[in-house]
Amino acid sequence: MVQYIVTVVMGTVIGYGTNYLAVKMLFRPKREVKVFGRTLPFTPGVIPKQKDRLAAAIGNAVGTSLLTKEDIKSRLTGEELKNAVTGKINEVLSVRMRDEIMHLAKLDEEGYDKMKEKLSAMITKQIMESVNSVGVAQKISDETSKALMEKISGNMLKYVVTEELVKQFTDHVGRKVQEYVDENGAAIVRGEVDKRLDVLEDNAVTQLLERVDITPEKLEKSISEAYDKAVDKAVDELMSRIDISKMIKEKIDSMDVDMLEELVLKVIKEQLDVIVNLGALIGFALALINVGINVLFSK
């Protein structure tokens, strides 16, 4: 009976020990062991010895199967994330423009008013420069002269009112208009610009868009479509510049064996423990069968 018990115990211990040693040999020894200049078999362990191939395989798996361009696009354009982004954009566009500008530019009331005054002056200057570049006096003179000559060409006045006389009159009118523009134009334009800026700053972008028949629904749809296009373009450009497989491979190659062992064990430690315990179970079962056979044939 003692012999049978010892046989079963030894079978269990051998089964456990064999699988335990096999699991340990996955990681150890960590370096080659040389005796008389020759490398001993099974050194280094399987994973340290095949580290390069393991890194390449993991990198390839991640780059081609686990983290593909389509996966990234799918995640970024998912309803939850897209709704969060479009909702945030709508929220920003719904804030009064004055408040949003002050927030973005980090301005107080005084700073904003100074900025608005500079903006109004700049717009007025640009408008006046455009008006002056047209040549108001000459335009008025030419167009007025042309119109008057067309009026009198079909009646007796054409013999009395000469083209030169008309020209003198229209030139005088043009100069007077130009003088008025020079003296009062900037003030008039500045007043209109200030009125428009007051209207704009008290409205949100969404309110201004509604005036041109862009409803919140249309705006949300446009933002959603623009977001999809932006993600599609950005991911394509990103993936064309980044080799994920190569990055993963280089990362694993740079790890030392201890760190790699820790990483692997975090993932499959439970499975390895099951294998070791299974070795003990198989050793126990084989030893038990052996004892049964011995008992059977000893009778």
Side-chain angles (χ1 to χ4, degrees), residues 252-265:
I252 295 176
D253 280 336
S254 66
M255 291 181 179
D256 58 33
V257 178
D258 290 333
M259 187 181 296
L260 185 59
E261 179 181 358
E262 182 181 351
L263 178 64
V264 173
L265 288 178

Side-chain angles (χ1 to χ4, degrees), residues 1-11 283-299:
M1 180 60 67
V2 173
Q3 181 181 353
Y4 294 153
I5 293 174
V6 170
T7 299
V8 172
V9 171
M10 287 299 294
F284 173 80
L286 291 176
L288 198 61
I289 292 172
N290 184 50
V291 168
I293 292 173
N294 287 335
V295 170
L296 183 61
F297 282 99
S298 65
K299 291 182 178 181

Side-chain angles (χ1 to χ4, degrees), residues 6-39:
V6 170
T7 299
V8 172
V9 171
M10 287 299 294
T12 303
V13 171
I14 290 171
Y16 179 90
T18 301
N19 280 21
Y20 179 83
L21 181 62
V23 168
K24 286 298 180 182
M25 286 180 67
L26 290 172
F27 306 99
R28 291 176 174 75
K30 297 176 181 178
R31 295 173 181 81
E32 291 183 346
V33 177
K34 292 183 178 291
V35 177
F36 302 117
R38 293 191 174 185
T39 302

Side-chain angles (χ1 to χ4, degrees), residues 2-250:
V2 173
Q3 181 181 353
Y4 294 153
I5 293 174
V6 170
T7 299
V8 172
V9 171
M10 287 299 294
T12 303
V13 171
I14 290 171
Y16 179 90
T18 301
N19 280 21
Y20 179 83
L21 181 62
V23 168
K24 286 298 180 182
M25 286 180 67
L26 290 172
F27 306 99
R28 291 176 174 75
K30 297 176 181 178
R31 295 173 181 81
E32 291 183 346
V33 177
K34 292 183 178 291
V35 177
F36 302 117
R38 293 191 174 185
T39 302
L40 291 181
F42 309 111
T43 65
V46 176
I47 289 180
K49 188 174 183 178
Q50 303 294 332
K51 184 181 176 184
D52 290 343
R53 292 178 61 187
L54 178 64
I58 294 175
N60 186 60
V62 172
T64 60
S65 301
L66 301 181
L67 195 60
T68 64
K69 181 166 59 177
E70 289 69 26
D71 291 333
I72 297 175
K73 287 181 181 180
S74 174
R75 177 65 65 176
L76 292 178
T77 55
E79 287 301 316
E80 184 177 350
L81 182 57
K82 186 194 293 187
N83 289 340
V85 173
T86 54
K88 188 62 180 177
I89 293 174
N90 270 322
E91 181 182 327
V92 171
L93 295 179
S94 299
V95 176
R96 192 173 67 138
M97 290 184 67
R98 179 188 180 96
D99 297 335
E100 187 61 25
I101 292 171
M102 289 176 63
H103 172 70
L104 293 174
K106 295 181 172 57
L107 296 173
D108 55 16
E109 292 287 343
E110 183 180 354
Y112 176 83
D113 289 337
K114 288 181 179 179
M115 185 202 72
K116 179 184 172 184
E117 186 176 347
K118 289 181 180 179
L119 178 62
S120 178
M122 182 186 71
I123 294 173
T124 300
K125 181 181 177 182
Q126 292 293 326
I127 292 174
M128 291 307 301
E129 287 178 354
S130 298
V131 170
N132 290 330
S133 68
V134 171
V136 175
Q138 190 61 46
K139 285 285 185 184
I140 289 176
S141 176
D142 292 343
E143 293 300 321
T144 305
S145 178
K146 182 180 177 181
L148 287 175
M149 291 305 297
E150 288 177 355
K151 281 282 187 181
I152 66 176
S153 62
N155 54 56
M156 294 294 294
L157 287 175
K158 68 179 179 178
Y159 299 108
V160 179
V161 181
T162 64
E163 186 174 348
E164 183 179 353
L165 184 62
V166 170
K167 185 66 174 171
Q168 289 177 356
F169 171 74
T170 55
D171 283 349
H172 179 73
V173 172
R175 284 194 299 273
K176 287 298 181 181
V177 171
Q178 184 65 59
E179 288 174 6
Y180 182 84
V181 170
D182 292 340
E183 291 175 7
N184 305 287
I188 295 172
V189 171
R190 180 66 178 268
E192 290 301 312
V193 170
D194 287 341
K195 288 179 183 178
R196 296 297 184 272
L197 289 177
D198 289 341
V199 171
L200 289 174
E201 70 176 1
D202 286 330
N203 284 271
V205 175
T206 50
Q207 292 174 304
L208 297 175
L209 291 174
E210 285 186 25
R211 296 182 183 180
V212 291
D213 198 32
I214 299 179
T215 62
E217 292 75 20
K218 289 182 180 178
L219 178 61
E220 185 175 350
K221 183 180 179 182
S222 298
I223 293 173
S224 179
E225 291 174 352
Y227 175 77
D228 285 340
K229 290 179 181 177
V231 167
D232 190 65
K233 182 178 179 181
V235 173
D236 284 342
E237 185 175 349
L238 178 67
M239 297 300 283
S240 68
R241 296 184 180 185
I242 296 178
D243 188 339
I244 293 178
S245 299
K246 184 179 179 182
M247 287 177 59
I248 299 294
K249 181 181 183 303
E250 289 175 350

